[in-house]
Amino acid sequence: MLFHVRMDVQLPPAMPAAQADELKKNERELAQSLQRSGKWRHLWRIAGQYANVSMFDVDSVEELHALLMSLPLFPYMKIEVMPMCRHPSSIHESDA
Ligand SMILES: O=C(O)CC1=CCC(=O)O1
């Protein structure tokens, strides 16, 4: 199942820089591991914003929910999820 996910990061301005850096480092490590596994298919920065657009390929909504909740930055992100299904006019086999 494919999901389009937008994540807006909203770190508290008062958070110490060292704590923010540690969260970002842990987030990067997990994100890269999930990309290598194929679960996190795409990760794009939205230009000019501390936000990303991602595509996830998971087996269920429950798996997506657990994955998103496991992200170190989860408590500091506004997350919007859009479930994707194949468009009948798509010529890309990988869009399923
Ligand atoms: O910086 C972001 O958009 C949040 C994030 C997701 C994966 C990652 O490494 O950072």
Side-chain angles (χ1 to χ4, degrees):
M1 302 173 73
L2 288 175
F3 293 91
H4 173 288
V5 178
R6 175 180 173 142
M7 303 178 214
D8 288 79
V9 185
Q10 297 165 335
L11 290 175
M15 179 180 281
Q19 186 184 348
D21 288 348
E22 183 69 11
L23 279 170
K24 291 176 197 174
K25 176 174 158 287
N26 294 338
E27 181 86 9
R28 182 183 318 112
E29 286 172 4
L30 182 54
Q32 292 183 343
S33 164
L34 288 165
Q35 286 172 78
R36 284 186 209 99
S37 79
K39 300 267 177 209
W40 197 325
R41 271 218 211 162
H42 295 278
L43 171 57
W44 293 94
R45 175 64 76 217
I46 301 176
Q49 300 181 39
Y50 192 6
N52 73 72
V53 163
S54 294
M55 289 295 295
F56 288 89
D57 189 354
V58 291
D59 293 333
S60 65
V61 181
E62 288 77 13
E63 183 183 5
L64 178 72
H65 183 67
L67 188 159
L68 294 174
M69 285 195 72
S70 76
L71 297 176
L73 285 174
F74 178 81
Y76 307 104
M77 293 197 288
K78 178 171 157 278
I79 299 178
E80 291 177 2
V81 175
M82 279 189 277
M84 299 286 114
C85 59
R86 185 176 172 79
H87 192 288
S89 303
S90 173
I91 62 167
H92 299 291
E93 293 299 323
S94 65
D95 287 353

